[in-house]
């Protein structure tokens, strides 16, 4: 079975939930942000982070306005965020822990770094 390869990230394109893209050495997948996710993030911010904190698109590439991730800027009225699926071949992942203001672990930050074989 042939699988379609993910294309490079286009900030002006409206991605549907489940679509994939390549961004800075990472393959990302668009996930739908549901009301249950928002409720958990609002009730337990130390355990469940907000949508823009979970999103793997960097702030300098996504200022938050007009990037086709909010339901007010999309045609299908869905809210999405980008989740890490895997690291692209030829890269390796560098993982660091993220901490909240009170010292609890908020998540794991994965940064794609060039592999030592493919500098």
């Amino acid at each position: 079975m042939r699988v379609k390869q993910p294309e490079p990230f286009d900030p002006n394109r409206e991605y549907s939930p489940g679509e994939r893209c390549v961004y800075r050495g990472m393959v990302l997948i668009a996930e739908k942000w549901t009301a249950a996710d928002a409720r958990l993030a609002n009730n337990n911010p130390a355990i469940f982070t907000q949508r823009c904190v979970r999103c793997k698109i960097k702030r300098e590439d996504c200022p938050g306005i007009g990037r086709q991730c909010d339901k007010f800027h999309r045609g299908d009225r869905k809210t999405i965020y980008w989740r890490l699926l895997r690291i692209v071949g030829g890269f390796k992942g560098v993982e660091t822990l993220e901490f909240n203001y009170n010292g609890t672990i908020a998540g794991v930050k994965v940064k794609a770094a060039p592999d030592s074989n493919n500098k």
Side-chain angles (χ1 to χ4, degrees), residues 56-75:
K56 293 299 177 186
I57 302 293
K58 299 291 182 192
R59 185 176 295 273
E60 57 267 11
D61 295 334
C62 181
I65 299 173
R67 289 296 186 213
Q68 312 296 339
C69 61
D70 193 9
K71 69 178 179 180
F72 301 111
H73 295 100
R74 293 176 55 88

Side-chain angles (χ1 to χ4, degrees), residues 25-26 84 87-88 91-96 109-114:
M26 300 177 286
L84 175 72
I87 303 293
V88 176
F91 287 84
K92 63 180 180 179
V94 178
E95 298 179 357
T96 56
K109 181 183 248 182
V110 178
K111 181 179 178 186

Side-chain angles (χ1 to χ4, degrees), residues 24-35:
R24 291 190 180 190
M26 300 177 286
V27 176
L28 303 179
I29 186 168
E31 291 283 328
K32 186 176 176 185
W33 183 257
T34 62

Side-chain angles (χ1 to χ4, degrees), residues 3-110:
V3 177
K4 180 181 171 186
Q5 294 296 318
E7 298 175 356
F9 177 69
D10 181 14
N12 298 321
R13 182 175 164 219
E14 184 176 305
Y15 289 91
S16 299
E19 283 191 90
R20 298 173 179 163
C21 73
V22 176
Y23 173 76
R24 291 190 180 190
M26 300 177 286
V27 176
L28 303 179
I29 186 168
E31 291 283 328
K32 186 176 176 185
W33 183 257
T34 62
D37 292 331
R39 190 170 41 253
L40 285 172
N42 290 333
N43 292 339
N44 300 321
I47 299 171
F48 301 101
T49 56
Q50 294 290 332
R51 178 176 59 96
C52 288
V53 175
R54 278 192 208 178
C55 188
K56 293 299 177 186
I57 302 293
K58 299 291 182 192
R59 185 176 295 273
E60 57 267 11
D61 295 334
C62 181
I65 299 173
R67 289 296 186 213
Q68 312 296 339
C69 61
D70 193 9
K71 69 178 179 180
F72 301 111
H73 295 100
R74 293 176 55 88
D76 58 1
R77 309 296 283 174
K78 293 180 182 176
T79 303
I80 64 166
Y81 69 99
W82 292 97
R83 180 178 62 88
L84 175 72
L85 189 61
R86 63 182 169 85
I87 303 293
V88 176
F91 287 84
K92 63 180 180 179
V94 178
E95 298 179 357
T96 56
L97 294 176
E98 293 181 338
F99 295 96
N100 282 338
Y101 62 92
N102 57 1
T104 60
I105 296 175
V108 178
K109 181 183 248 182
V110 178

